[in-house]
Amino acid sequence: MIRIRSEPRRNLAHEIASQMRRDIISGGFKPGEALAEPALAGRFGVSRAPVREAMIELERAGLVQFETTGRTRVRILEEKDVVEIVEARIALESMGARLAAARWTDEDTRWIERSIAAQEKAASGVKFSELDIAMHEYIMKRGGNERLSTLWQFVRWQFEMALTHIHRLQGKMAPDLRRFSVEGHRKVLTALAAGRPDTAAKVMAQHIKDSIEWYSPK
Amino acid sequence: MIRIRSEPRRNLAHEIASQMRRDIISGGFKPGEALAEPALAGRFGVSRAPVREAMIELERAGLVQFETTGRTRVRILEEKDVVEIVEARIALESMGARLAAARWTDEDTRWIERSIAAQEKAASGVKFSELDIAMHEYIMKRGGNERLSTLWQFVRWQFEMALTHIHRLQGKMAPDLRRFSVEGHRKVLTALAAGRPDTAAKVMAQHIKDSIEWYSPK
DNA sequence: TAGCTGTGAATTGTCGACACTTTACCCCAT
DNA sequence: ATGGGGTAAAGTGTCGACAATTCACAGCTA
């Protein structure tokens, strides 16, 4: 297994940040919703100190925004934000794929093949998205650049948050998207397995660009 | 002028984080040095609460690292880290230049030309580096993607921190680097002014790759 | 009814305190 | 000298408190 960070500081703040992150991404907290520290402290059964620290983590991850008055709200994602998130993904993942291609092994190929197989059998759109993201994460980590992976995590969470709303807005995922997306994954794998950095970067960029257009058809 | 964020939350924590960031980048705190909260609180004349919050900001920016025991130390940058930082810069700035090329105006061209002129007249290597970074920052912001700019800021600070040590290690900056670097800037400007996204991305990547090799000659 | 205003309630920013953990150092045995 | 153990000092994680600020809302005015 691949570990990205040595060990995060294990304290209540980090615990709370992780839980809140999951809740925000899954839509448990709605965009624009105010996050008052006393309420959250009560919810988690702690004092305000760890809650405040958790909010800073979430703000840095872009899931939450501070107002000039000090209030904290769940970040609101608009059309423009989704474009930004995808552009950031392309920037980071192109480089990630480029680096990964130079270090790719047969074991990596097998991992991706298993993932693709699972994607094809995924029972739901949500499950498919999880497998999709997990595969992209694997490639990013495989690139071996911890900073790139860390930056990518931030974008990934914002992307997942956006995905939750797109799903809610558009109902079910377009059925063809999955087939189309898997096709893209196969192309990426081919480039990676061939050890072609330039090709891998280009194919990955195209794959991300393609798949997002299924969500927001212009 | 271009603003990236609406307004940061104005509190002591943010103030302290900014000051500490400057001090760490400039080498006032040495890599590996322990940052004890009581000492910092005394130094800034505040309690530990805002100091703790500032530390979280700095950790997210990668300038500081938490140990599993809770202690905070100034991050130590090794050879491998510099490579990672440069790769991250290439990923982000290629995309930044790509986006900027699509929105470039004559006014932007004039801004860069003024910057290049100043670079040629820069009295010291440090001053040159400042102008260099400022120019790269301008292009990033000009890309119009706030997330990309925010991520870039993190990498930028780490890069500046690394630069401080390289300067200290190698003494003065290689005199030819400046001429060489300015040459790269001119190529970037040409691609931007021509409104060629692909070219701008490629030239920017090459420029960053080139300029770093001057620092760490293999 | 619509808009303004004042007042009470809620929230933030910061502080000092305390228990628990980690570190540093001294002393002793070898 | 050197290494181990124990103890004091220092540091972290969390808490509750308080002043200052912001918000919500009822009541008043036009």
Side-chain angles (χ1 to χ4, degrees), chain A residues 5 7 9 52-53 56-57 59-60 66 68 70 75 77 81 84-85 87-88 90-91 95 99 144-148 154 158, chain B residues 5 7 9 52-53 56-57 59-60 66 68 70 75 77 81 84-85 87 90-91 95 99 144-148 154 158:
Chain A
R5 305 183 67 87
E7 283 274 348
R9 180 155 71 166
R52 276 183 71 83
E53 297 180 3
I56 296 175
E57 269 200 59
E59 196 268 348
R60 275 284 173 254
F66 294 146
T68 53
R75 184 144 182 185
L77 296 179
D81 294 299
E84 285 197 10
I85 290 167
E87 286 170 354
I90 292 174
M95 180 59 83
L99 298 174
N145 184 320
E146 290 189 17
R147 281 167 180 77
L148 225 49
F154 293 163
Q158 294 187 42
Chain B
R5 304 183 69 87
E7 283 274 348
R9 179 153 71 166
R52 276 183 72 81
E53 296 180 3
I56 295 175
E57 269 199 60
E59 196 268 348
R60 275 285 174 256
F66 293 147
T68 54
R75 183 145 182 184
L77 297 179
D81 294 298
E84 285 197 9
I85 290 166
E87 285 171 355
I90 292 174
M95 179 60 82
L99 298 173
N145 184 320
E146 291 189 17
R147 281 165 180 78
L148 226 48
F154 292 162
Q158 293 186 43

Short mmCIF file of all heavy atoms in Angstrom, two decimals, chain A residues 5 7 9 52-53 56-57 59-60 66 68 70 75 77 81 84-85 87-88 90-91 95 99 144-148 154 158, chain B residues 5 7 9 52-53 56-57 59-60 66 68 70 75 77 81 84-85 87 90-91 95 99 144-148 154 158:
data_model
loop_
_atom_site.label_atom_id
_atom_site.label_comp_id
_atom_site.label_asym_id
_atom_site.label_seq_id
_atom_site.Cartn_x
_atom_site.Cartn_y
_atom_site.Cartn_z
N ARG A 5 1.18 10.53 3.75
CA ARG A 5 1.78 11.35 4.81
C ARG A 5 2.25 10.42 5.91
O ARG A 5 1.68 9.37 6.13
CB ARG A 5 0.76 12.33 5.38
CG ARG A 5 0.15 13.21 4.31
CD ARG A 5 -0.77 14.19 4.96
NE ARG A 5 -0.03 15.12 5.77
CZ ARG A 5 0.48 16.23 5.29
NH1 ARG A 5 0.33 16.52 4.04
NH2 ARG A 5 1.15 17.03 6.07
N GLU A 7 2.15 10.63 9.29
CA GLU A 7 1.09 10.42 10.26
C GLU A 7 0.46 11.78 10.53
O GLU A 7 1.15 12.72 10.86
CB GLU A 7 1.67 9.89 11.58
CG GLU A 7 2.05 8.43 11.56
CD GLU A 7 0.88 7.52 11.89
OE1 GLU A 7 -0.16 8.03 12.35
OE2 GLU A 7 1.01 6.31 11.67
N ARG A 9 -1.39 14.51 12.75
CA ARG A 9 -1.52 14.77 14.18
C ARG A 9 -2.88 14.27 14.62
O ARG A 9 -3.91 14.72 14.13
CB ARG A 9 -1.36 16.28 14.42
CG ARG A 9 -1.49 16.65 15.88
CD ARG A 9 -0.76 17.92 16.19
NE ARG A 9 -1.38 19.11 15.64
CZ ARG A 9 -1.05 20.35 16.01
NH1 ARG A 9 -0.11 20.54 16.91
NH2 ARG A 9 -1.63 21.38 15.46
N ARG A 52 -12.92 24.97 16.02
CA ARG A 52 -12.30 26.08 15.28
C ARG A 52 -11.14 25.58 14.43
O ARG A 52 -11.00 25.96 13.26
CB ARG A 52 -11.77 27.13 16.26
CG ARG A 52 -12.78 28.12 16.74
CD ARG A 52 -12.11 29.16 17.64
NE ARG A 52 -11.24 30.06 16.91
CZ ARG A 52 -11.67 31.13 16.27
NH1 ARG A 52 -12.95 31.42 16.26
NH2 ARG A 52 -10.83 31.92 15.64
N GLU A 53 -10.32 24.74 15.03
CA GLU A 53 -9.16 24.24 14.29
C GLU A 53 -9.60 23.39 13.11
O GLU A 53 -9.00 23.44 12.03
CB GLU A 53 -8.25 23.45 15.24
CG GLU A 53 -7.69 24.34 16.35
CD GLU A 53 -6.77 23.59 17.32
OE1 GLU A 53 -6.54 22.40 17.09
OE2 GLU A 53 -6.31 24.21 18.29
N ILE A 56 -10.54 25.54 10.16
CA ILE A 56 -9.40 26.05 9.39
C ILE A 56 -8.94 25.00 8.38
O ILE A 56 -8.66 25.32 7.22
CB ILE A 56 -8.25 26.43 10.34
CG1 ILE A 56 -8.69 27.59 11.23
CG2 ILE A 56 -7.01 26.81 9.55
CD1 ILE A 56 -7.69 27.97 12.29
N GLU A 57 -8.92 23.75 8.82
CA GLU A 57 -8.56 22.68 7.89
C GLU A 57 -9.52 22.65 6.70
O GLU A 57 -9.10 22.54 5.55
CB GLU A 57 -8.59 21.33 8.60
CG GLU A 57 -7.27 20.91 9.22
CD GLU A 57 -7.23 19.40 9.47
OE1 GLU A 57 -7.37 18.62 8.51
OE2 GLU A 57 -7.04 19.04 10.62
N GLU A 59 -11.42 25.00 5.58
CA GLU A 59 -11.33 26.19 4.74
C GLU A 59 -10.19 26.03 3.75
O GLU A 59 -10.31 26.36 2.58
CB GLU A 59 -11.13 27.43 5.61
CG GLU A 59 -11.41 28.74 4.89
CD GLU A 59 -10.16 29.33 4.27
OE1 GLU A 59 -9.03 28.85 4.57
OE2 GLU A 59 -10.29 30.26 3.48
N ARG A 60 -9.08 25.51 4.25
CA ARG A 60 -7.92 25.29 3.40
C ARG A 60 -8.24 24.29 2.29
O ARG A 60 -7.73 24.37 1.19
CB ARG A 60 -6.74 24.77 4.22
CG ARG A 60 -5.93 25.88 4.86
CD ARG A 60 -5.08 26.54 3.81
NE ARG A 60 -4.40 27.71 4.32
CZ ARG A 60 -4.75 28.95 4.03
NH1 ARG A 60 -5.81 29.18 3.27
NH2 ARG A 60 -4.07 29.97 4.47
N PHE A 66 -14.84 31.32 4.98
CA PHE A 66 -14.99 32.27 6.06
C PHE A 66 -15.52 33.57 5.49
O PHE A 66 -15.07 34.03 4.44
CB PHE A 66 -13.64 32.54 6.73
CG PHE A 66 -13.07 31.36 7.45
CD1 PHE A 66 -11.71 31.14 7.51
CD2 PHE A 66 -13.90 30.45 8.09
CE1 PHE A 66 -11.18 30.06 8.17
CE2 PHE A 66 -13.37 29.35 8.77
CZ PHE A 66 -12.01 29.16 8.81
N THR A 68 -16.08 37.77 6.11
CA THR A 68 -15.27 38.79 6.78
C THR A 68 -15.72 39.00 8.22
O THR A 68 -14.95 39.45 9.06
CB THR A 68 -15.37 40.14 6.04
OG1 THR A 68 -16.76 40.46 5.91
CG2 THR A 68 -14.75 40.04 4.67
N GLY A 70 -16.42 36.66 10.20
CA GLY A 70 -15.97 35.55 11.02
C GLY A 70 -16.86 34.33 10.90
O GLY A 70 -16.44 33.22 11.25
N ARG A 75 -19.23 25.99 1.62
CA ARG A 75 -18.95 26.68 0.37
C ARG A 75 -20.02 26.42 -0.68
O ARG A 75 -20.50 25.29 -0.83
CB ARG A 75 -17.59 26.23 -0.17
CG ARG A 75 -17.18 26.94 -1.41
CD ARG A 75 -15.71 27.17 -1.40
NE ARG A 75 -15.26 27.91 -2.56
CZ ARG A 75 -13.98 28.13 -2.81
NH1 ARG A 75 -13.07 27.69 -1.99
NH2 ARG A 75 -13.62 28.82 -3.87
N LEU A 77 -20.89 26.08 -4.50
CA LEU A 77 -20.23 25.83 -5.77
C LEU A 77 -21.14 26.22 -6.92
O LEU A 77 -22.26 25.72 -7.03
CB LEU A 77 -19.86 24.35 -5.88
CG LEU A 77 -18.84 23.85 -4.86
CD1 LEU A 77 -18.56 22.37 -5.07
CD2 LEU A 77 -17.55 24.65 -4.97
N ASP A 81 -17.21 27.46 -10.61
CA ASP A 81 -16.36 26.71 -9.70
C ASP A 81 -16.08 25.31 -10.23
O ASP A 81 -14.96 24.80 -10.09
CB ASP A 81 -17.02 26.63 -8.32
CG ASP A 81 -17.12 27.99 -7.66
OD1 ASP A 81 -16.07 28.60 -7.42
OD2 ASP A 81 -18.25 28.44 -7.41
N GLU A 84 -13.41 25.49 -12.73
CA GLU A 84 -12.11 25.66 -12.09
C GLU A 84 -11.58 24.35 -11.51
O GLU A 84 -10.40 24.02 -11.65
CB GLU A 84 -12.21 26.69 -10.95
CG GLU A 84 -12.30 28.11 -11.43
CD GLU A 84 -11.99 29.09 -10.31
OE1 GLU A 84 -11.52 28.65 -9.24
OE2 GLU A 84 -12.21 30.29 -10.50
N ILE A 85 -12.47 23.62 -10.87
CA ILE A 85 -12.08 22.35 -10.25
C ILE A 85 -11.57 21.38 -11.31
O ILE A 85 -10.55 20.72 -11.13
CB ILE A 85 -13.27 21.75 -9.48
CG1 ILE A 85 -13.58 22.60 -8.24
CG2 ILE A 85 -12.98 20.31 -9.08
CD1 ILE A 85 -14.92 22.28 -7.59
N GLU A 87 -10.38 22.12 -14.30
CA GLU A 87 -9.09 22.59 -14.82
C GLU A 87 -7.95 22.23 -13.88
O GLU A 87 -6.87 21.83 -14.31
CB GLU A 87 -9.14 24.12 -15.03
CG GLU A 87 -9.96 24.53 -16.24
CD GLU A 87 -10.19 26.04 -16.28
OE1 GLU A 87 -9.80 26.74 -15.32
OE2 GLU A 87 -10.76 26.51 -17.27
N ALA A 88 -8.21 22.38 -12.58
CA ALA A 88 -7.17 22.04 -11.60
C ALA A 88 -6.88 20.54 -11.64
O ALA A 88 -5.72 20.12 -11.56
CB ALA A 88 -7.61 22.46 -10.20
N ILE A 90 -7.18 18.61 -14.19
CA ILE A 90 -6.40 18.32 -15.40
C ILE A 90 -4.93 18.67 -15.19
O ILE A 90 -4.04 17.89 -15.53
CB ILE A 90 -6.98 19.10 -16.60
CG1 ILE A 90 -8.36 18.54 -16.96
CG2 ILE A 90 -6.05 19.03 -17.81
CD1 ILE A 90 -9.10 19.33 -18.03
N ALA A 91 -4.69 19.84 -14.60
CA ALA A 91 -3.31 20.26 -14.37
C ALA A 91 -2.57 19.24 -13.51
O ALA A 91 -1.46 18.80 -13.85
CB ALA A 91 -3.29 21.64 -13.71
N MET A 95 0.14 15.83 -14.82
CA MET A 95 1.49 15.65 -14.29
C MET A 95 1.59 14.35 -13.52
O MET A 95 2.60 13.64 -13.63
CB MET A 95 1.85 16.84 -13.39
CG MET A 95 3.24 16.75 -12.77
SD MET A 95 4.59 16.65 -13.97
CE MET A 95 4.80 18.39 -14.38
N LEU A 99 4.27 11.38 -14.40
CA LEU A 99 5.25 10.82 -13.47
C LEU A 99 5.02 9.32 -13.27
O LEU A 99 5.97 8.54 -13.18
CB LEU A 99 5.17 11.55 -12.12
CG LEU A 99 5.50 13.04 -12.15
CD1 LEU A 99 5.24 13.66 -10.79
CD2 LEU A 99 6.95 13.27 -12.58
N GLY A 144 4.24 9.43 -7.28
CA GLY A 144 5.34 9.52 -6.32
C GLY A 144 5.64 10.92 -5.81
O GLY A 144 6.56 11.09 -5.02
N ASN A 145 4.86 11.90 -6.25
CA ASN A 145 5.08 13.27 -5.78
C ASN A 145 4.04 13.58 -4.70
O ASN A 145 2.87 13.80 -4.99
CB ASN A 145 4.95 14.25 -6.96
CG ASN A 145 5.27 15.67 -6.55
OD1 ASN A 145 4.90 16.12 -5.47
ND2 ASN A 145 5.97 16.39 -7.42
N GLU A 146 4.51 13.59 -3.45
CA GLU A 146 3.58 13.76 -2.34
C GLU A 146 2.87 15.10 -2.38
O GLU A 146 1.69 15.20 -2.02
CB GLU A 146 4.32 13.63 -1.00
CG GLU A 146 4.78 12.21 -0.72
CD GLU A 146 5.30 12.07 0.70
OE1 GLU A 146 5.02 12.95 1.53
OE2 GLU A 146 6.01 11.07 0.96
N ARG A 147 3.57 16.14 -2.79
CA ARG A 147 2.94 17.45 -2.85
C ARG A 147 1.80 17.45 -3.86
O ARG A 147 0.72 17.98 -3.61
CB ARG A 147 3.97 18.50 -3.21
CG ARG A 147 4.81 18.92 -2.03
CD ARG A 147 6.01 19.70 -2.45
NE ARG A 147 6.78 20.06 -1.28
CZ ARG A 147 7.56 19.22 -0.63
NH1 ARG A 147 7.67 17.97 -1.04
NH2 ARG A 147 8.24 19.61 0.43
N LEU A 148 2.07 16.89 -5.01
CA LEU A 148 1.04 16.82 -6.04
C LEU A 148 -0.18 16.07 -5.50
O LEU A 148 -1.32 16.49 -5.71
CB LEU A 148 1.62 16.09 -7.26
CG LEU A 148 1.36 16.68 -8.64
CD1 LEU A 148 1.66 18.16 -8.69
CD2 LEU A 148 2.20 15.95 -9.69
N PHE A 154 -7.17 18.10 -2.11
CA PHE A 154 -8.03 19.27 -1.94
C PHE A 154 -9.03 19.36 -3.09
O PHE A 154 -10.24 19.52 -2.89
CB PHE A 154 -7.20 20.55 -1.90
CG PHE A 154 -6.33 20.68 -0.69
CD1 PHE A 154 -5.27 21.57 -0.67
CD2 PHE A 154 -6.56 19.92 0.45
CE1 PHE A 154 -4.46 21.69 0.45
CE2 PHE A 154 -5.76 20.03 1.57
CZ PHE A 154 -4.71 20.92 1.56
N GLN A 158 -13.37 18.83 -3.30
CA GLN A 158 -14.27 19.80 -3.91
C GLN A 158 -15.02 19.17 -5.08
O GLN A 158 -16.20 19.42 -5.28
CB GLN A 158 -13.48 21.03 -4.39
CG GLN A 158 -12.86 21.82 -3.25
CD GLN A 158 -12.23 23.11 -3.73
OE1 GLN A 158 -12.78 23.82 -4.57
NE2 GLN A 158 -11.06 23.43 -3.21
N ARG B 5 -8.65 36.44 -3.45
CA ARG B 5 -9.68 36.03 -2.49
C ARG B 5 -10.46 37.25 -2.07
O ARG B 5 -9.94 38.35 -2.04
CB ARG B 5 -9.04 35.39 -1.26
CG ARG B 5 -8.15 34.22 -1.59
CD ARG B 5 -7.63 33.61 -0.33
NE ARG B 5 -8.68 32.96 0.39
CZ ARG B 5 -9.04 31.71 0.17
NH1 ARG B 5 -8.41 31.02 -0.73
NH2 ARG B 5 -10.00 31.16 0.84
N GLU B 7 -11.72 38.24 0.92
CA GLU B 7 -11.11 38.86 2.10
C GLU B 7 -10.76 37.76 3.07
O GLU B 7 -11.61 36.94 3.41
CB GLU B 7 -12.12 39.82 2.78
CG GLU B 7 -12.31 41.14 2.11
CD GLU B 7 -11.29 42.17 2.53
OE1 GLU B 7 -10.57 41.93 3.52
OE2 GLU B 7 -11.21 43.22 1.87
N ARG B 9 -10.16 36.10 6.66
CA ARG B 9 -10.65 36.38 8.01
C ARG B 9 -9.57 37.14 8.76
O ARG B 9 -8.44 36.68 8.90
CB ARG B 9 -10.96 35.05 8.70
CG ARG B 9 -11.46 35.23 10.11
CD ARG B 9 -12.34 34.09 10.52
NE ARG B 9 -11.64 32.83 10.73
CZ ARG B 9 -12.20 31.80 11.35
NH1 ARG B 9 -13.44 31.86 11.80
NH2 ARG B 9 -11.53 30.67 11.51
N ARG B 52 -1.73 28.42 17.76
CA ARG B 52 -2.09 27.08 17.29
C ARG B 52 -2.77 27.14 15.93
O ARG B 52 -2.47 26.36 15.03
CB ARG B 52 -3.05 26.41 18.28
CG ARG B 52 -2.39 25.73 19.43
CD ARG B 52 -3.44 25.06 20.30
NE ARG B 52 -4.00 23.87 19.67
CZ ARG B 52 -3.43 22.68 19.68
NH1 ARG B 52 -2.26 22.53 20.26
NH2 ARG B 52 -4.01 21.65 19.11
N GLU B 53 -3.69 28.09 15.81
CA GLU B 53 -4.42 28.19 14.55
C GLU B 53 -3.50 28.59 13.40
O GLU B 53 -3.63 28.10 12.28
CB GLU B 53 -5.58 29.19 14.71
CG GLU B 53 -6.60 28.72 15.73
CD GLU B 53 -7.76 29.68 15.91
OE1 GLU B 53 -7.82 30.70 15.20
OE2 GLU B 53 -8.64 29.42 16.77
N ILE B 56 -1.63 25.60 12.08
CA ILE B 56 -2.41 24.76 11.17
C ILE B 56 -2.34 25.33 9.75
O ILE B 56 -2.18 24.60 8.77
CB ILE B 56 -3.86 24.66 11.65
CG1 ILE B 56 -3.91 23.93 12.99
CG2 ILE B 56 -4.72 23.93 10.63
CD1 ILE B 56 -5.27 23.87 13.62
N GLU B 57 -2.43 26.64 9.66
CA GLU B 57 -2.32 27.27 8.34
C GLU B 57 -0.97 26.96 7.71
O GLU B 57 -0.88 26.61 6.52
CB GLU B 57 -2.48 28.80 8.46
CG GLU B 57 -3.89 29.28 8.30
CD GLU B 57 -3.94 30.77 7.97
OE1 GLU B 57 -3.38 31.18 6.92
OE2 GLU B 57 -4.51 31.52 8.75
N GLU B 59 1.05 24.53 8.37
CA GLU B 59 1.21 23.12 8.06
C GLU B 59 0.56 22.81 6.72
O GLU B 59 1.11 22.10 5.89
CB GLU B 59 0.58 22.26 9.16
CG GLU B 59 1.01 20.81 9.14
CD GLU B 59 0.09 19.94 8.33
OE1 GLU B 59 -1.02 20.40 7.95
OE2 GLU B 59 0.45 18.80 8.04
N ARG B 60 -0.61 23.39 6.51
CA ARG B 60 -1.31 23.20 5.24
C ARG B 60 -0.51 23.77 4.07
O ARG B 60 -0.56 23.25 2.97
CB ARG B 60 -2.68 23.88 5.30
CG ARG B 60 -3.75 23.02 5.92
CD ARG B 60 -4.15 21.95 4.93
NE ARG B 60 -5.08 21.00 5.52
CZ ARG B 60 -4.75 19.78 5.91
NH1 ARG B 60 -3.51 19.36 5.79
NH2 ARG B 60 -5.65 18.98 6.40
N PHE B 66 3.96 18.72 11.50
CA PHE B 66 3.58 18.23 12.82
C PHE B 66 4.21 16.86 13.02
O PHE B 66 4.18 16.02 12.13
CB PHE B 66 2.06 18.11 12.95
CG PHE B 66 1.35 19.42 12.90
CD1 PHE B 66 0.09 19.52 12.33
CD2 PHE B 66 1.92 20.57 13.43
CE1 PHE B 66 -0.59 20.72 12.29
CE2 PHE B 66 1.25 21.78 13.40
CZ PHE B 66 -0.01 21.86 12.82
N THR B 68 4.19 13.24 15.32
CA THR B 68 3.11 12.46 15.92
C THR B 68 2.94 12.83 17.39
O THR B 68 1.86 12.64 17.96
CB THR B 68 3.41 10.96 15.81
OG1 THR B 68 4.69 10.72 16.38
CG2 THR B 68 3.40 10.52 14.37
N GLY B 70 2.94 15.75 18.49
CA GLY B 70 2.28 17.04 18.59
C GLY B 70 3.22 18.21 18.39
O GLY B 70 2.79 19.32 18.11
N ARG B 75 9.68 22.83 8.46
CA ARG B 75 9.86 21.72 7.54
C ARG B 75 11.27 21.69 6.97
O ARG B 75 11.85 22.72 6.64
CB ARG B 75 8.86 21.84 6.40
CG ARG B 75 8.93 20.69 5.44
CD ARG B 75 7.57 20.37 4.91
NE ARG B 75 7.58 19.25 4.02
CZ ARG B 75 6.51 18.84 3.38
NH1 ARG B 75 5.36 19.48 3.56
NH2 ARG B 75 6.55 17.80 2.58
N LEU B 77 13.62 20.71 3.97
CA LEU B 77 13.53 20.42 2.54
C LEU B 77 14.80 19.72 2.06
O LEU B 77 15.90 20.22 2.24
CB LEU B 77 13.34 21.74 1.76
CG LEU B 77 12.05 22.49 2.04
CD1 LEU B 77 12.01 23.77 1.23
CD2 LEU B 77 10.85 21.62 1.74
N ASP B 81 12.55 16.95 -2.18
CA ASP B 81 11.47 17.91 -2.01
C ASP B 81 11.54 19.00 -3.08
O ASP B 81 10.51 19.45 -3.59
CB ASP B 81 11.53 18.53 -0.62
CG ASP B 81 11.26 17.51 0.47
OD1 ASP B 81 10.16 16.96 0.47
OD2 ASP B 81 12.16 17.26 1.28
N GLU B 84 10.08 17.75 -6.18
CA GLU B 84 8.62 17.72 -6.10
C GLU B 84 8.02 19.11 -6.30
O GLU B 84 7.01 19.28 -6.99
CB GLU B 84 8.18 17.17 -4.74
CG GLU B 84 8.34 15.67 -4.59
CD GLU B 84 7.54 15.14 -3.42
OE1 GLU B 84 6.73 15.91 -2.84
OE2 GLU B 84 7.72 13.98 -3.09
N ILE B 85 8.64 20.07 -5.65
CA ILE B 85 8.13 21.44 -5.73
C ILE B 85 8.16 21.93 -7.18
O ILE B 85 7.20 22.53 -7.67
CB ILE B 85 8.97 22.37 -4.83
CG1 ILE B 85 8.69 22.05 -3.35
CG2 ILE B 85 8.66 23.83 -5.12
CD1 ILE B 85 9.68 22.66 -2.39
N GLU B 87 8.18 20.10 -9.90
CA GLU B 87 7.19 19.37 -10.70
C GLU B 87 5.79 19.96 -10.48
O GLU B 87 5.00 20.10 -11.42
CB GLU B 87 7.20 17.88 -10.31
CG GLU B 87 8.39 17.11 -10.86
CD GLU B 87 8.50 15.71 -10.29
OE1 GLU B 87 7.70 15.38 -9.38
OE2 GLU B 87 9.38 14.97 -10.73
N ILE B 90 5.49 23.16 -12.35
CA ILE B 90 5.29 22.93 -13.79
C ILE B 90 3.83 22.58 -14.06
O ILE B 90 3.21 23.12 -14.98
CB ILE B 90 6.24 21.83 -14.28
CG1 ILE B 90 7.69 22.33 -14.24
CG2 ILE B 90 5.87 21.39 -15.70
CD1 ILE B 90 8.72 21.27 -14.57
N ALA B 91 3.28 21.68 -13.24
CA ALA B 91 1.90 21.26 -13.45
C ALA B 91 0.95 22.46 -13.37
O ALA B 91 0.11 22.67 -14.26
CB ALA B 91 1.51 20.21 -12.41
N MET B 95 -0.73 24.96 -16.77
CA MET B 95 -2.17 25.20 -16.92
C MET B 95 -2.47 26.69 -16.77
O MET B 95 -3.31 27.24 -17.51
CB MET B 95 -2.95 24.39 -15.89
CG MET B 95 -4.44 24.60 -15.93
SD MET B 95 -5.21 24.16 -17.52
CE MET B 95 -5.39 22.38 -17.33
N LEU B 99 -4.33 28.94 -19.64
CA LEU B 99 -5.55 29.72 -19.45
C LEU B 99 -5.31 31.20 -19.71
O LEU B 99 -6.16 31.89 -20.29
CB LEU B 99 -6.08 29.52 -18.02
CG LEU B 99 -6.49 28.10 -17.64
CD1 LEU B 99 -6.83 28.01 -16.16
CD2 LEU B 99 -7.67 27.64 -18.49
N GLY B 144 -7.00 33.29 -14.29
CA GLY B 144 -8.39 33.47 -13.89
C GLY B 144 -8.97 32.32 -13.08
O GLY B 144 -10.13 32.36 -12.71
N ASN B 145 -8.16 31.31 -12.79
CA ASN B 145 -8.65 30.19 -12.00
C ASN B 145 -8.16 30.36 -10.56
O ASN B 145 -7.00 30.13 -10.24
CB ASN B 145 -8.15 28.87 -12.59
CG ASN B 145 -8.71 27.66 -11.86
OD1 ASN B 145 -8.83 27.65 -10.64
ND2 ASN B 145 -9.06 26.63 -12.63
N GLU B 146 -9.10 30.75 -9.67
CA GLU B 146 -8.70 31.06 -8.31
C GLU B 146 -8.13 29.85 -7.58
O GLU B 146 -7.21 29.98 -6.77
CB GLU B 146 -9.89 31.61 -7.52
CG GLU B 146 -10.32 32.98 -7.98
CD GLU B 146 -11.36 33.59 -7.04
OE1 GLU B 146 -11.50 33.10 -5.90
OE2 GLU B 146 -12.05 34.54 -7.46
N ARG B 147 -8.69 28.68 -7.84
CA ARG B 147 -8.18 27.49 -7.17
C ARG B 147 -6.75 27.21 -7.58
O ARG B 147 -5.90 26.91 -6.74
CB ARG B 147 -9.05 26.29 -7.52
CG ARG B 147 -10.32 26.27 -6.71
CD ARG B 147 -11.34 25.32 -7.27
NE ARG B 147 -12.54 25.34 -6.46
CZ ARG B 147 -13.44 26.29 -6.52
NH1 ARG B 147 -13.29 27.32 -7.35
NH2 ARG B 147 -14.51 26.25 -5.74
N LEU B 148 -6.49 27.31 -8.85
CA LEU B 148 -5.13 27.10 -9.34
C LEU B 148 -4.17 28.08 -8.67
O LEU B 148 -3.08 27.71 -8.23
CB LEU B 148 -5.12 27.29 -10.86
CG LEU B 148 -4.40 26.27 -11.72
CD1 LEU B 148 -4.76 24.85 -11.35
CD2 LEU B 148 -4.68 26.52 -13.19
N PHE B 154 0.71 27.91 -2.30
CA PHE B 154 1.35 26.95 -1.40
C PHE B 154 2.72 26.53 -1.94
O PHE B 154 3.72 26.55 -1.23
CB PHE B 154 0.47 25.70 -1.23
CG PHE B 154 -0.81 25.95 -0.51
CD1 PHE B 154 -1.85 25.05 -0.60
CD2 PHE B 154 -0.99 27.08 0.28
CE1 PHE B 154 -3.04 25.27 0.08
CE2 PHE B 154 -2.17 27.31 0.95
CZ PHE B 154 -3.20 26.40 0.84
N GLN B 158 6.81 27.29 -0.60
CA GLN B 158 7.80 26.23 -0.41
C GLN B 158 9.00 26.46 -1.33
O GLN B 158 10.15 26.24 -0.94
CB GLN B 158 7.18 24.86 -0.69
CG GLN B 158 6.11 24.47 0.32
CD GLN B 158 5.62 23.05 0.11
OE1 GLN B 158 6.40 22.14 -0.13
NE2 GLN B 158 4.31 22.86 0.20
#
